[in-house]
Amino acid sequence: MLKLILKLYLASIVLLVPAFAQDRVLNVYNWTDYIDTKLLDEFTRETGIKIVYDTYDSNEMLEAKLLAGNTGYDIVVPSGTFLQRQIQAGVFQPLDMRQIPNAKGIWQEVAARLAVYDPGNKHAVTYMWYTTGLSYNVDKVTQRLGSAPIDSWDIVFKPELIKKIADCGVYFLDSPEDLISVALRYLELNPDSKKPDDIRKAAALIAQVRPYVKKFHSSEYINALANGDICLAIGWAGDTFQARTRAEDAKNGIKINYTIPKEGTLMTFDAFAIPKDAPHVSEAYAFINFMLRPQVAARNSSITNYANGVIDSKPFVEKSVLENPAIYPDDATMARLFTITPYDAATQRIVTREWIRVKTGK
Ligand code: N2P
């Protein structure tokens, strides 16, 4: 009898252990088009941790979930200003850096910039950083505007210019923070202004050109540019170069370019963070550590066309990506970039209201 019990006991261990091992899961919530998806399987093969991967394309969407709590997510990727507010709201757990040994390869200048939002780099690790700019179909825009360089926000904020290209399709990011800060810069106001009057002036500038904007959306412009449905977007650099790759792969002859306007633009940092109520914390650490491995970080940059936060990854990044100053800015480009701080609650209410008015055209 005792032997039988022992046998059953041993059998149950044999059966249960692999079952447990297979049960290790990780719930990741990341931006759309923001990873080399092959890495998800490679991570699973290496660690036995299965990934449930969900995507979003706006900080507002992520924030609404985080503030409601119980998202079930183990990894999220907010942008700097949102990260800061969410840290203040107590949404994230402090990181135990001993569980992220690959953090030794972090790019210190980038980490220092992220520390503006996360003092002491206690809650987050930079994933990617990038700019907001003009994404366009070279031939269609040149046909309509002539061969003058496309190098200014004039093209989207001067009604007489955007009017000329409206027929081939214009999208703007559905991201008030990006649009309002660049509009403020264009108006030669402080791009980080929290003054209600300034915010209203920026919103009015965008509202003025609203009739020429087909859609406000923060991810559909990649395919729309790549297949020729639109010819201009206010978009993010990495997404734009992904559109270029898609058009090249489709061999459809569409040439896509990206410009950081001479007036300057917003630079943003997106970072990995672990929600306080994350159900799979050690798996989350394993994932962050994997993503910081230099070769892995490099593959993500080479595929997404975004600069990552790991300096040791640079030798492995595709040359055309590394040497593109719109992705890895040189000093001259860097000098034209600005960053912003989070909106306080009162300003956020104004921004939200103005943004709805801009989008609905009312
Ligand atoms: C990826 C967008 C990442 C930049 N498609 C916005 N955080």
Side-chain angles (χ1 to χ4, degrees):
M1 183 64 187
L2 213 62
K3 253 190 183 164
L4 183 67
I5 291 174
L6 193 68
K7 261 191 195 162
L8 283 174
Y9 176 65
L10 287 175
S12 72
I13 290 179
V14 173
L15 286 174
L16 283 176
V17 167
F20 267 122
Q22 274 167 14
D23 274 340
R24 287 190 80 191
V25 295
L26 173 72
N27 299 322
V28 176
Y29 197 37
N30 192 9
W31 292 82
T32 48
D33 304 294
Y34 217 27
I35 194 166
D36 175 352
T37 48
K38 290 199 198 92
L39 287 167
L40 299 174
D41 283 342
E42 289 178 32
F43 175 78
T44 303
R45 240 178 287 138
E46 200 174 298
T47 61
I49 301 167
K50 281 204 191 119
I51 298 181
V52 180
Y53 193 80
D54 279 352
T55 56
Y56 56 92
D57 65 3
S58 92
N59 272 304
E60 287 76 8
M61 207 182 300
L62 168 62
E63 182 155 280
K65 291 200 183 191
L66 286 173
L67 296 180
N70 269 324
T71 60
Y73 292 124
D74 302 301
I75 295 277
V76 294
V77 194
S79 308
T81 52
F82 285 81
L83 171 75
Q84 181 172 343
R85 288 210 300 220
Q86 290 154 7
I87 290 171
Q88 281 159 5
V91 165
F92 299 123
Q93 44 186 289
L95 295 178
D96 173 5
M97 295 313 281
R98 286 167 310 184
Q99 300 202 52
I100 316 177
N102 287 336
K104 65 179 186 302
I106 275 176
W107 193 339
Q108 289 310 327
E109 283 91 335
V110 174
R113 286 179 177 272
L114 186 70
V116 172
Y117 306 104
D118 173 26
N121 295 113
K122 288 206 166 70
H123 300 83
V125 180
T126 310
Y127 179 40
M128 302 287 189
W129 54 289
Y130 54 92
T131 58
T132 307
L134 295 170
S135 321
Y136 58 98
N137 178 316
V138 178
D139 293 334
K140 285 194 179 167
V141 171
T142 313
Q143 270 163 23
R144 285 161 180 79
L145 292 183
S147 54
I150 294 152
D151 62 355
S152 163
W153 288 117
D154 280 344
I155 186 172
V156 283
F157 292 135
K158 278 208 160 121
E160 64 272 26
L161 290 184
I162 190 172
K163 190 190 253 171
K164 289 190 186 163
I165 38 180
D167 75 292
C168 58
V170 176
Y171 282 8
F172 282 3
L173 289 172
D174 186 5
S175 173
E177 196 185 67
D178 289 78
L179 271 285
I180 287 176
S181 66
V182 300
L184 285 168
R185 179 69 166 229
Y186 181 73
L187 293 169
E188 294 179 13
L189 296 165
N190 172 8
D192 195 25
S193 177
K194 311 296 185 221
K195 288 187 196 146
D197 268 0
D198 289 354
I199 306 272
R200 284 189 198 106
K201 279 182 201 156
L205 179 75
I206 306 164
Q208 213 190 345
V209 293
R210 169 69 184 94
Y212 312 109
V213 180
K214 200 166 160 187
K215 199 182 247 189
F216 287 81
H217 201 283
S218 299
S219 55
E220 286 180 5
Y221 67 100
I222 304 182
N223 276 337
L225 277 169
N227 62 29
D229 281 351
I230 61 168
C231 59
L232 181 74
I234 295 183
W236 292 306
D239 288 6
T240 310
F241 293 114
Q242 287 182 55
R244 175 190 281 179
T245 310
R246 288 182 203 180
E248 283 166 2
D249 289 350
K251 297 196 173 47
N252 60 12
I254 292 174
K255 289 200 286 293
I256 289 161
N257 206 1
Y258 175 84
T259 302
I260 295 176
K262 61 181 182 214
E263 298 88 352
T265 196
L266 176 69
M267 169 170 47
T268 308
F269 298 80
D270 291 350
F272 294 123
I274 308 178
K276 221 166 223 169
D277 53 8
H280 312 101
V281 175
S282 65
E283 288 79 1
Y285 279 114
F287 182 77
I288 295 177
N289 197 47
F290 179 77
M291 296 294 270
L292 294 188
R293 190 183 293 168
Q295 290 87 341
V296 169
R299 277 175 57 188
N300 281 325
S301 286
S302 298
I303 288 279
T304 67
N305 293 279
Y306 284 94
N308 70 70
V310 179
I311 193 140
D312 290 355
S313 74
K314 277 185 159 187
F316 307 106
V317 174
E318 197 77 49
K319 225 171 165 232
S320 61
V321 173
L322 191 68
E323 289 175 357
N324 184 340
I327 302 176
Y328 281 87
D330 50 23
D331 290 346
T333 311
M334 208 64 167
R336 285 185 289 144
L337 308 182
F338 60 80
T339 54
I340 55 173
T341 60
Y343 298 127
D344 56 85
T347 313
Q348 181 64 60
R349 276 195 293 278
I350 297 170
V351 166
T352 306
R353 201 168 47 227
E354 291 295 319
W355 192 243
I356 292 170
R357 275 171 31 146
V358 165
K359 285 200 292 182
T360 56
K362 291 190 184 122

